[in-house]
Amino acid sequence: MSERLQPGDEAPAFTLPDADGNEVSLADHRGRKVIVYFYPAALTPGCTKQACDFTDNLELLAGAGYDVIGISPDKPEKLAAFREAESLRVTLLADPDKKVLDAYGAFGEKKNYGRTYMGVIRSTIVVDEEGKVERALYNVRATGHVAKIIKDLGV
């Protein structure tokens, strides 16, 4: 498990396929702020709530200069089904080998009902226009998280 990111760190570069198989890089967003959020699995209740919350607030965030990217270990085909089923407008990227999840400290040991296992740690990283970490939030809740980010960012 890699270290968690801290404000001021250089955000790890990445290029991943989106729901349509097109390559998307963090570098494509240079000059804009980017909210990169990591979630365990498409088409699950908590992840659906979070993705819908980001979609519902996308215009507000975009108007304040933020792009939103969701990353999960799902394959592009599942992300496309997720996008269609929920009418999502956020960019969803596939990281099936979990390299980007690991680089961002969003994959590691989790505990649930007394059981310890490896999994996706629901996390949100805000990257500034220069590619530096502005905020790094780990173990966030799916519900209410987007409203909290909007409040914290003063959007």
Side-chain angles (χ1 to χ4, degrees):
M1 184 171 108
S2 61
E3 291 292 308
R4 291 186 169 184
L5 298 175
Q6 301 296 323
D9 288 351
E10 188 74 29
F14 62 78
T15 300
L16 293 170
D18 68 9
D20 299 314
N22 301 313
E23 299 279 300
V24 176
S25 298
L26 181 61
D28 298 341
H29 297 269
R30 194 65 128 192
R32 284 185 61 83
K33 293 185 177 199
V34 186
I35 296 170
V36 183
Y37 78 96
F38 298 91
Y39 62 99
L43 298 166
T44 58
C47 298
T48 297
K49 172 79 178 115
Q50 189 177 22
C52 288
D53 281 354
F54 271 120
T55 292
D56 292 347
N57 288 285
L58 201 56
E59 283 182 32
L60 176 70
L61 290 163
Y66 291 92
D67 294 336
V68 179
I69 297 173
I71 300 177
S72 74
D74 298 304
K75 293 196 172 356
E77 302 77 34
K78 187 172 179 189
L79 297 179
F82 186 33
R83 181 185 63 200
E84 302 313 313
E86 302 299 335
S87 302
L88 301 174
R89 289 180 292 131
V90 295
T91 300
L92 300 173
L93 302 183
D95 185 21
D97 62 10
K98 303 174 187 74
K99 284 193 172 121
V100 176
L101 283 153
D102 195 47
Y104 277 77
F107 187 82
E109 201 171 89
K110 295 174 71 167
K111 287 182 174 37
N112 198 10
Y113 301 113
R115 193 171 69 91
T116 302
Y117 60 98
M118 297 299 283
V120 175
I121 298 162
R122 192 181 300 277
S123 311
T124 301
I125 310 298
V126 180
V127 180
D128 71 14
E129 301 91 338
E130 305 299 316
K132 297 252 189 262
V133 174
E134 188 175 293
R135 291 168 193 262
L137 310 164
Y138 292 94
N139 294 311
V140 301
R141 299 221 172 274
T143 306
H145 177 60
V146 174
K148 183 179 178 345
I149 287 176
I150 288 169
K151 183 174 178 263
D152 291 351
L153 294 174
V155 174

